[in-house]
């Protein structure tokens, strides 16, 4: 609503009114402390320290406002000058610089201003002269003019500062912004991004509601044991829950019905079902057709039908299937849908009782037609499908922080955390936060890449930026691209305590992002990749990338999806390894990596 109010501003309003509207928007939307400071139009303060500098121009001041094609305007010189003022006053807390009108926003990272301007002796001299009482630069207009001249000089002689470009995030509120664009704007301006604050309650943290009700349906419960949280059989068991259903059937067959056996069967089956929920959302998205949903009682009437889906549909190619009603569900060539040894020795899913019923969870997220929590008894399988459908699995990344259907988002990273917690039923789970795995992956991979490139090409790149500049000058050569890719492809990673595979997933994304940064991927034109919140965020032609079933297999949309899948598959098969003292961890890790492949799976030329 606040964003809409800002977009409705009248160009005839005074400049002061427009600035106040921007201030009110930031304050009311994000609870920022926004005020002026000296000649700075607006600034976002944290603990009385300026962290974001905002240079604001009125809507009709086009001569001084920057544009996507013209950076060197007065507004840019002013932003540089105000950045220098703060740095001169020992402010090391600057995070971003924003140059805006009420509609158009250009958001720059303060690190780029630090590198390109503050550390440049020519720019420093202009500011030093200005602050010198004996200087000829006695007016602020003088310093703006000198900065502008220097920017023009640097741009024309060295392609803007030693072959570096200054990047920024841009949006225009008057554009026809789609919901996903508004979500991206919200994320960009939120404290996590704008103030670079780590928020432990991000989209990759545990969804307690989802986790608790899932455990309830499974017949499990999380209990404290000293400092650990372990998984045990529910203290108030529901006869229809998965645990009790399995225990009953094992006992009837004279099989061992101890906790270890039951939990292993539960892990196998819940892994498959949750993976299928993600697959279902992808198929619906690819085809823009809600009729392609298959995890419901209309298409899966009982546990027999669910097992048939596992082994007679997903594990077989289209031509080999007896059940043609699922021809729109692609063949999955993975061991996830192979009959396991424990199923052969103890119990298969089809052996479970279809008559099993249980009461709805007291705090269920499932609502009736009057938006009240559902109550009473329900078939266990129907309950599971209804429960999963109450959440949004449609976004396969954490890029969207709001579910487009107003359902709570459950993404692959959240599922990874849940897998790890269930897998750690006996000893407790130790889930490493995303910001740590991302840091570990980047630091270790970039160091290895720099060392190997220095050796192979006999160069002395001191850091990754130097290596990027070297690659930018050579990556038009086919031989260089082949050798550079083979160097990165030769790097192998082993996690000695793999858990749910979180570090390997971070490393998978980091390898692809590193190749992108070095210009080694044969991507369609106008493809951009970012790595944020432990996810690859891809755009094509300035639109968030979303794969659709191709009308032409030569389309950039299809080529990009296929390239990302092929790269991920190659990395997973050849470069990522992990071991763990818990034998179930390997299965969980394989599942997480399969999910990563699922994000970029594609239709082949046969429509499969």
């Amino acid at each position: 609503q606040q964003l809409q109010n800002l977009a409705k501003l009248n160009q005839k309003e005074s400049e002061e009114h427009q600035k106040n509207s921007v201030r009110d928007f930031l304050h009311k939307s994000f609870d920022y402390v926004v005020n002026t400071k000296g000649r700075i139009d607006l600034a976002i303060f944290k603990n009385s320290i300026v962290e974001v500098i905002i240079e604001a121009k009125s809507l009709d001041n086009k001569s001084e406002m920057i544009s996507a094609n013209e950076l060197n305007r007065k507004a840019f010189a002013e932003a540089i000058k105000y950045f220098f003022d703060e740095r001169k006053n020992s402010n090391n807390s600057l995070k971003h610089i924003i140059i805006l009108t009420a509609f158009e926003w250009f958001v720059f990272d303060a690190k780029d201003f630090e590198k390109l301007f503050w550390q440049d002796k020519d720019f420093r001299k202009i500011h030093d002269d200005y602050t010198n009482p004996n200087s000829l630069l006695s007016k602020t207009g003088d310093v703006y003019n000198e900065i502008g001249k220097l920017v023009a000089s640097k741009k024309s002689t060295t392609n803007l500062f030693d072959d570096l470009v200054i990047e920024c995030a841009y949006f225009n509120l008057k554009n026809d912004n789609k919901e996903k664009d508004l979500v991206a704007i919200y994320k960009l301006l939120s404290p996590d991004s704008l103030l670079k604050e780590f928020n432990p309650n991000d989209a990759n943290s545990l969804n307690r509601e989802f986790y608790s009700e899932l455990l309830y349906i499974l017949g499990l419960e999380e209990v404290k044991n000293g400092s650990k949280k372990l998984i045990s059989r529910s203290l108030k068991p529901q006869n229809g829950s998965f645990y009790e259903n399995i225990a009953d059937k094992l006992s009837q067959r004279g099989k061992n019905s101890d906790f270890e056996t039951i939990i292993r069967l539960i892990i196998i089956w819940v892994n498959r079902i949750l993976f299928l929920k993600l697959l279902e959302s992808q198929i619906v998205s690819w085809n823009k057709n809600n009729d392609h949903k298959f995890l419901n009682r209309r298409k899966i009437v009982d546990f027999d039908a669910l097992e048939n889906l596992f082994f007679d549909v997903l594990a077989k190619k289209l031509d080999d299937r007896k059940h043609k009603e699922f021809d729109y569900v692609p063949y999955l060539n993975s061991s996830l849908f192979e009959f396991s040894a424990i199923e052969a020795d103890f119990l298969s899913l089809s052996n479970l009782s279809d008559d099993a019923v249980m009461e709805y969870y007291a705090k269920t997220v499932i609502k009736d037609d009057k938006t009240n929590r559902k109550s009473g008894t329900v078939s266990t399988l129907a309950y599971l499908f209804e429960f999963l459908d109450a959440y949004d699995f449609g976004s396969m990344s954490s890029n969207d922080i709001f579910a487009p259907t107003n359902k709570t988002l459950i993404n692959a990273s959240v599922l990874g955390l849940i897998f790890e917690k269930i897998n750690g039923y006996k000893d407790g789970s130790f889930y490493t936060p995303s910001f740590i795995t991302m840091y570990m992956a980047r630091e270790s991979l970039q160091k290895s890449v720099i060392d190997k490139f220095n050796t192979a090409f006999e160069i002395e790149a001191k850091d990754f930026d130097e290596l990027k500049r070297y690659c930018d000058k050579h990556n038009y050569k086919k031989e260089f691209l082949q050798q550079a890719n083979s160097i990165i492809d030769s790097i192998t990673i082993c996690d000695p305590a793999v858990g749910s595979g979180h570090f390997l997933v971070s490393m998978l994304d980091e390898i692809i992002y590193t190749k992108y940064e070095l210009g080694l991927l044969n991507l369609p034109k106008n493809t951009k990749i970012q790595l944020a919140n432990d996810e690859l965020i891809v755009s094509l032609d300035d639109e968030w990338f979303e794969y659709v079933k191709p009308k032409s297999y030569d389309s950039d949309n299809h080529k990009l999806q296929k390239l990302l899948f092929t790269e991920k598959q190659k990395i997973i098969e050849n470069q990522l390894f992990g071991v763990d003292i818990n034998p179930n961890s390997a299965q969980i890790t394989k599942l997480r990596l399969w999910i990563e492949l699922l994000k970029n799976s594609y239709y082949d030329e046969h429509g499969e």
Side-chain angles (χ1 to χ4, degrees):
Q1 182 63 50
Q2 295 297 328
L3 206 58
Q4 291 174 348
N5 292 340
L6 193 61
K8 293 176 182 177
L9 262 180
N10 192 314
Q11 186 166 324
K12 296 180 181 179
E13 298 283 359
S14 69
E15 182 173 343
E16 195 65 26
H17 178 79
Q18 293 180 32
K19 291 178 183 178
N20 290 340
S21 298
V22 171
R23 180 198 62 198
D24 293 344
F25 160 69
L26 290 170
H27 175 68
K28 292 176 180 178
S29 301
F30 304 98
D31 200 29
Y32 287 137
V33 177
V34 187
N35 213 327
T36 59
K37 182 183 180 184
R39 299 184 66 91
I40 298 176
D41 289 331
L42 294 170
I44 296 177
F45 293 80
K46 185 176 179 181
N47 299 325
S48 301
I49 297 174
V50 173
E51 294 209 350
V52 178
I53 294 171
I54 301 173
E55 174 58 28
K57 294 298 179 185
S58 63
L59 291 167
D60 58 359
N61 190 353
K62 295 181 180 180
S63 63
E64 295 185 355
M65 180 61 186
I66 64 174
S67 69
N69 299 319
E70 183 51 65
L71 185 70
N72 194 12
R73 298 272 176 82
K74 184 180 179 182
F76 192 65
E78 289 175 308
I80 294 174
K81 191 263 182 186
Y82 301 148
F83 179 83
F84 271 56
D85 290 344
E86 288 297 313
R87 291 294 284 111
K88 275 278 191 176
N89 289 325
S90 302
N91 183 356
N92 297 312
S93 300
L94 291 166
K95 302 298 191 301
H96 284 94
I97 293 89
I98 303 176
I99 301 175
L100 57 78
T101 66
F103 298 161
E104 283 193 290
W105 295 53
F106 294 81
V107 183
F108 299 88
D109 195 315
K111 290 191 299 184
D112 290 331
F113 269 55
E114 179 81 16
K115 180 186 298 183
L116 299 178
F117 307 124
W118 179 252
Q119 294 179 11
D120 185 292
K121 64 180 187 307
D122 296 326
F123 282 97
R124 288 283 286 273
K125 184 177 187 304
I126 291 175
H127 195 266
D128 289 342
D129 287 345
Y130 169 70
T131 54
N132 183 342
N134 299 320
S135 171
L136 296 176
L137 298 178
S138 57
K139 298 179 181 179
T140 53
D142 296 334
V143 74
Y144 300 150
N145 289 334
E146 292 301 312
I147 289 174
K149 291 177 185 178
L150 186 55
V151 168
S153 169
K154 295 278 186 179
K155 183 176 180 180
S156 63
T157 57
T158 60
N159 190 20
L160 194 55
F161 320 109
D162 298 329
D163 295 328
L164 292 173
V165 295
I166 185 163
E167 296 182 343
C168 74
Y170 168 80
F171 61 87
N172 188 335
L173 297 182
K174 300 303 286 185
N175 287 347
D176 183 20
N177 292 300
K178 300 175 183 177
E179 185 170 9
K180 59 186 178 182
D181 299 318
L182 297 177
V183 168
I185 292 171
Y186 181 91
K187 285 199 71 174
L188 172 67
L189 300 181
S190 68
D192 276 8
S193 175
L194 204 58
L195 302 186
K196 300 184 180 180
E197 294 179 348
F198 168 66
N199 181 2
N201 298 313
D202 66 9
N204 296 334
S205 62
L206 180 67
N207 184 301
R208 180 60 62 176
E209 286 183 339
F210 180 87
Y211 177 59
S212 298
E213 190 162 3
L214 178 63
L215 288 184
Y216 174 81
I217 296 171
L218 298 178
L220 302 172
E221 188 172 326
E222 191 175 71
V223 296
K224 282 189 175 182
N225 184 350
S227 60
K228 296 180 179 179
K229 290 183 178 180
L230 309 181
I231 304 293
S232 71
R233 182 179 186 175
S234 176
L235 299 178
K236 297 179 180 179
Q238 289 276 319
N239 290 333
S241 70
F242 273 78
Y243 189 100
E244 303 305 322
N245 201 338
I246 295 168
D248 181 58
K249 295 303 177 183
L250 288 174
S251 296
Q252 290 179 17
R253 287 163 172 71
K255 299 285 187 178
N256 184 1
S257 60
D258 65 358
F259 183 81
E260 294 288 331
T261 301
I262 295 174
I263 195 72
R264 286 176 63 195
L265 286 167
I266 286 177
I267 287 174
I268 290 172
W269 293 338
V270 77
N271 285 354
R272 289 174 183 160
I273 292 167
L274 291 175
F275 180 86
L276 287 181
K277 192 63 185 177
L278 292 169
L279 174 64
E280 178 191 72
S281 71
Q282 289 290 85
I283 292 174
V284 169
S285 174
W286 292 335
N287 294 277
K288 308 300 181 186
N289 189 346
N290 277 322
D291 289 338
H292 283 352
K293 286 188 173 184
F294 54 85
L295 286 182
N296 52 65
R297 286 299 293 274
R298 184 167 55 87
K299 296 186 178 181
I300 307 293
V301 297
D302 53 27
F303 286 112
D304 276 326
L306 186 56
E307 185 167 282
N308 286 335
L309 180 65
F310 289 168
F311 305 125
D312 294 335
V313 176
L314 295 161
K316 293 186 177 181
K317 294 184 178 181
L318 296 182
D319 293 341
D320 299 329
R321 293 178 183 175
K322 296 179 181 178
H323 302 274
K324 300 300 182 182
E325 67 270 27
F326 293 111
D327 279 357
Y328 61 87
V329 180
Y331 163 62
L332 296 178
N333 181 19
S334 79
S335 59
L336 183 63
F337 296 100
E338 294 175 359
F339 204 61
S340 65
I342 189 172
E343 289 173 294
D345 293 342
F346 288 89
L347 194 72
S348 67
L349 183 64
S350 61
N351 295 139
L352 295 184
S353 173
D354 295 316
D355 298 327
V357 297
M358 59 189 302
E359 293 182 3
Y360 281 103
Y361 185 52
K363 297 181 180 179
T364 183
V365 297
I366 303 171
K367 304 294 178 62
D368 60 21
D369 294 338
K370 297 181 179 179
T371 69
N372 297 318
R373 295 185 194 274
K374 279 196 172 183
S375 59
T377 58
V378 60
S379 159
T380 304
L381 189 59
Y383 184 10
L384 177 63
F385 290 156
E386 193 177 12
F387 164 70
L388 294 177
D389 206 45
Y391 289 88
D392 173 35
F393 294 79
S395 173
M396 294 296 289
S397 81
S398 60
N399 183 43
D400 294 336
I401 58 173
F402 299 128
T405 56
N406 295 322
K407 297 177 181 179
T408 302
L409 175 66
I410 301 296
N411 64 29
S413 296
V414 174
L415 288 180
L417 175 51
I418 289 170
F419 295 150
E420 181 146 338
K421 288 182 77 68
I422 295 176
N423 189 37
Y425 63 90
K426 185 164 54 178
D427 301 311
S429 62
F430 302 92
Y431 189 80
T432 309
S434 297
F435 78 102
I436 293 179
T437 60
M438 286 179 65
Y439 175 80
M440 291 166 59
R442 175 158 299 182
E443 288 297 306
S444 54
L445 181 64
Q446 287 191 358
K447 184 178 186 303
S448 178
V449 168
I450 292 168
D451 289 345
K452 287 180 178 292
F453 272 64
N454 281 346
T455 300
F457 297 108
E458 298 181 349
I459 58 176
E460 296 181 357
K462 297 181 179 61
D463 55 33
F464 195 68
D465 285 336
E466 278 195 27
L467 184 60
K468 281 174 61 177
R469 291 196 289 273
Y470 175 79
C471 289
D472 286 344
K473 295 176 181 178
H474 295 82
N475 56 25
Y476 66 92
K477 303 174 186 175
K478 183 177 180 181
E479 297 79 6
F480 174 81
L481 286 174
Q482 290 177 341
Q483 186 176 359
N485 272 296
S486 66
I487 290 172
I488 298 179
D489 293 343
S490 70
I491 297 173
T492 54
I493 298 96
C494 181
D495 186 343
V498 74
S500 69
H502 189 187
F503 174 70
L504 294 186
V505 171
S506 294
M507 188 60 81
L508 169 66
D509 288 340
E510 191 62 47
I511 291 172
I512 292 175
Y513 186 66
T514 296
K515 285 191 172 186
Y516 166 76
E517 285 279 271
L518 298 180
L520 307 181
L521 295 176
N522 185 24
L523 295 166
K525 289 183 179 179
N526 300 321
T527 300
K528 294 180 181 178
I529 299 179
Q530 298 175 339
L531 184 54
N533 207 15
D534 214 14
E535 292 282 354
L536 289 173
I537 302 172
V538 184
S539 64
L540 179 62
D541 295 325
D542 295 322
E543 293 284 341
W544 296 118
F545 176 65
E546 181 181 7
Y547 181 67
V548 293
K549 190 171 184 177
K551 295 180 179 178
S552 167
Y553 292 98
D554 291 327
S555 67
D556 285 345
N557 182 280
H558 180 71
K559 288 179 179 178
L560 177 54
Q561 183 82 346
K562 186 175 181 179
L563 183 145
L564 292 172
F565 179 92
T566 304
E567 281 293 328
K568 285 187 174 183
Q569 184 182 37
K570 180 173 62 176
I571 294 166
I572 291 170
E573 290 179 349
N574 301 296
Q575 296 179 251
L576 304 180
F577 302 87
V579 294
D580 200 285
I581 195 172
N582 185 338
N584 292 327
S585 291
Q587 301 304 319
I588 303 291
T589 298
K590 284 195 288 185
L591 176 64
R592 282 289 283 113
L593 293 171
W594 281 326
I595 289 173
E596 292 304 311
L597 270 180
L598 176 61
K599 292 179 182 179
N600 296 109
S601 52
Y602 61 92
Y603 285 92
D604 64 19
E605 283 71 10
H606 304 290
E608 299 182 4

